[in-house]
Amino acid sequence: MIAASRIRSRNQMRSNLIVKLILVVGFFVCGLGLVSKSQNPKTVWRPTKVPAGTNFAGRQACIECHADKNKTQLLNSMGRALEYVSDSEILSKYPSLAFKSGPYSIEIVRKDKQSFYTVTKGQETLSVPIRYAFGQGKAGQTYILEYQGEFYESLLSYYNQAKGLDFTIGLPRTVPDSLKAGLGRPISGDETMQCFACHSTGAVSGKKLHLDKLEPGLTCEACHGPGTEHIKASKAGEPSVSKIFNPGKMSPDDLTQDFCASCHRGAEDLMAFPRQGGVNNVRFQPYRIFNSKCYSDDKRISCVACHNVHEPLQQDAKVYDAKCAACHTKTEPATSKICKVGTKDCASCHMPKIELSGSHSTFTDHRIRIVKAGEPYPN
């Protein structure tokens, strides 16, 4: 029954996609927050669908009652998804970074607490300040530049493994044809809002960018919604649970393919944008797990079944053995197969590490499967 339910859900998702594509022509952003039909839209919160006029209490207000969770969440990838340039550890540690592409020289140079991105060709130079640093630098860090009133995704990013600059993932690895092209890719208003909605808190509301209200990284309210009423009720000794959104109460499908996929991209996003086919989509975990047999067979599987979003990501493969064993044990139904090869380090075999060309890092493939030597990458 569980498998049949997931299959029906998958077929319904594909049917819904066709309708949405007809109704929403030209809608292209890097993530999608869709409201489940089974929920009242007034009670549903999506990180990338912040209503106009939303006011956030701020991280400090949450710390009063949730100090432990705040402390650990601030250390994970989501909590550090964006940094002010003045606070960037990488840009401070590496005050001068340089890269050569054909006749173009590109440098990132630190001056006091500001960093400048400079493109030079012969006697010509174009230099702009870096406005924001996206990513904590565990794998890499990309920069948002501003030139003539327009935001740019930097052509070059910092990569931790290389300890230097290289082309940003997704951008062409070719010699720029102008100083302006050396800055990177201009990003549209809608895409800019999507980027800031997924890397910060409070910067977007009502389809408008409010950078003066930006709080770096994803704080409590990015996922739980504005907490002012929740805090007020709690301090007054009144019931407060209903005044804050709890993603943990969502169904696994809605949580994974809707809520988390708002930023991490799910099945509907990838079916809508086939250009993301091939190994490049290994970065989009909700999409990858969608086609896993485990995901179809067991309704318990969701992003939070394996990951505690309030803590730094666990890197040790052994940590996840217990997650796999929760289903794959002799006490489970007969449909739950026991691995004939081993009983530990499950993820190292069934969720292989995939290296993207030019990324200087590997990504865990969340399409859980029996990996066969020499098989093509399953799209």
Side-chain angles (χ1 to χ4, degrees):
M1 292 297 292
I2 291 174
S5 175
R6 281 292 175 100
I7 292 171
R8 285 195 297 271
S9 174
R10 184 177 297 180
N11 291 338
Q12 181 62 47
M13 183 176 286
R14 290 192 172 103
S15 298
N16 290 344
L17 172 63
I18 295 173
V19 175
K20 286 166 185 168
L21 287 174
I22 294 173
L23 296 176
V24 195
V25 176
F27 181 73
F28 57 100
V29 292
C30 54
L32 193 61
L34 308 170
V35 177
S36 169
K37 293 180 179 179
S38 64
Q39 296 173 297
N40 182 348
K42 293 183 179 181
T43 64
V44 172
W45 172 262
R46 294 295 179 273
T48 57
K49 300 290 181 181
V50 180
T54 299
N55 291 312
F56 294 100
R59 182 186 287 276
Q60 289 301 317
C62 300
I63 287 177
E64 292 185 29
C65 294
H66 304 286
D68 290 344
K69 281 188 173 63
N70 266 276
K71 184 177 180 180
T72 54
Q73 192 273 334
L74 187 59
L75 300 176
N76 71 20
S77 299
M78 293 192 296
R80 301 179 63 191
L82 180 149
E83 290 181 320
Y84 287 125
V85 173
S86 59
D87 300 327
S88 173
E89 295 179 13
I90 289 171
L91 294 177
S92 296
K93 184 177 180 179
Y94 300 98
S96 179
L97 294 164
F99 187 87
K100 187 80 171 176
S101 180
Y104 292 89
S105 296
I106 301 176
E107 291 182 295
I108 294 179
V109 177
R110 189 79 168 174
K111 295 181 181 179
D112 296 325
K113 291 204 170 205
Q114 179 59 276
S115 291
F116 294 84
Y117 187 104
T118 302
V119 185
T120 301
K121 179 186 179 185
Q123 299 301 312
E124 299 179 291
T125 295
L126 177 58
S127 184
V128 299
I130 296 177
R131 293 303 186 193
Y132 300 94
F134 277 33
Q136 62 177 318
K138 182 180 68 176
Q141 188 173 73
T142 300
Y143 305 106
I144 297 298
L145 318 173
E146 188 173 8
Y147 177 62
Q148 295 183 337
E150 192 171 23
F151 283 115
Y152 284 74
E153 178 186 24
S154 61
L155 178 66
L156 303 180
S157 293
Y158 169 86
Y159 290 94
N160 187 45
Q161 188 182 83
K163 296 293 185 291
L165 301 175
D166 202 350
F167 290 100
T168 298
I169 295 177
L171 298 190
R173 301 178 64 84
T174 55
V175 176
D177 58 11
S178 66
L179 293 175
K180 186 176 178 180
L183 294 180
R185 180 179 68 92
I187 48 182
S188 68
D190 284 345
E191 189 177 4
T192 300
M193 287 189 289
Q194 185 74 17
C195 293
F196 278 97
C198 288
H199 285 265
S200 66
T201 306
V204 180
S205 66
K207 297 184 179 181
K208 290 185 178 181
L209 201 57
H210 302 276
L211 295 178
D212 58 315
K213 297 182 179 180
L214 177 150
E215 192 165 10
L218 297 182
T219 69
C220 308
E221 292 173 296
C223 293
H224 292 284
T228 302
E229 293 301 316
H230 170 73
I231 294 169
K232 182 179 178 181
S234 182
K235 288 184 174 181
E238 300 172 357
S240 60
V241 174
S242 64
K243 298 184 182 297
I244 197 77
F245 184 71
N246 184 357
K249 299 293 185 181
M250 301 176 74
S251 72
D253 259 337
D254 285 345
L255 176 67
T256 302
Q257 298 301 327
D258 183 355
F259 191 85
C260 297
S262 294
C263 293
H264 293 280
R265 291 191 183 185
E268 292 199 5
D269 300 318
L270 271 292
M271 285 189 285
F273 309 115
R275 70 177 184 276
Q276 294 292 356
V279 70
N280 188 56
N281 63 38
V282 73
R283 298 177 295 153
F284 310 136
Q285 300 89 347
Y287 167 73
R288 295 303 293 168
I289 201 171
F290 180 72
N291 288 311
S292 302
K293 190 175 187 301
C294 291
Y295 187 80
S296 298
D297 289 350
D298 198 318
K299 68 177 182 179
R300 294 172 294 181
I301 294 181
S302 70
C303 299
V304 298
C306 294
H307 301 298
N308 185 338
V309 296
H310 297 122
E311 297 178 356
L313 180 68
Q314 294 284 352
Q315 299 288 348
D316 189 346
K318 296 178 181 179
V319 172
Y320 299 101
D321 289 345
K323 312 292 184 182
C324 299
C327 301
H328 296 275
T329 64
K330 294 180 180 179
T331 58
E332 284 291 306
T335 54
S336 180
K337 297 181 179 180
I338 306 300
C339 183
K340 298 178 181 179
V341 178
T343 58
K344 61 182 181 179
D345 295 341
C346 309
S348 64
C349 284
H350 297 285
M351 300 177 69
K353 296 284 187 181
I354 304 292
E355 183 172 358
L356 292 184
S357 177
S359 71
H360 301 283
S361 59
T362 59
F363 295 82
T364 298
D365 188 359
H366 281 64
R367 181 163 180 169
I368 306 167
R369 63 189 187 278
I370 297 175
V371 181
K372 299 178 181 179
E375 70 175 356
Y377 177 80
N379 197 41

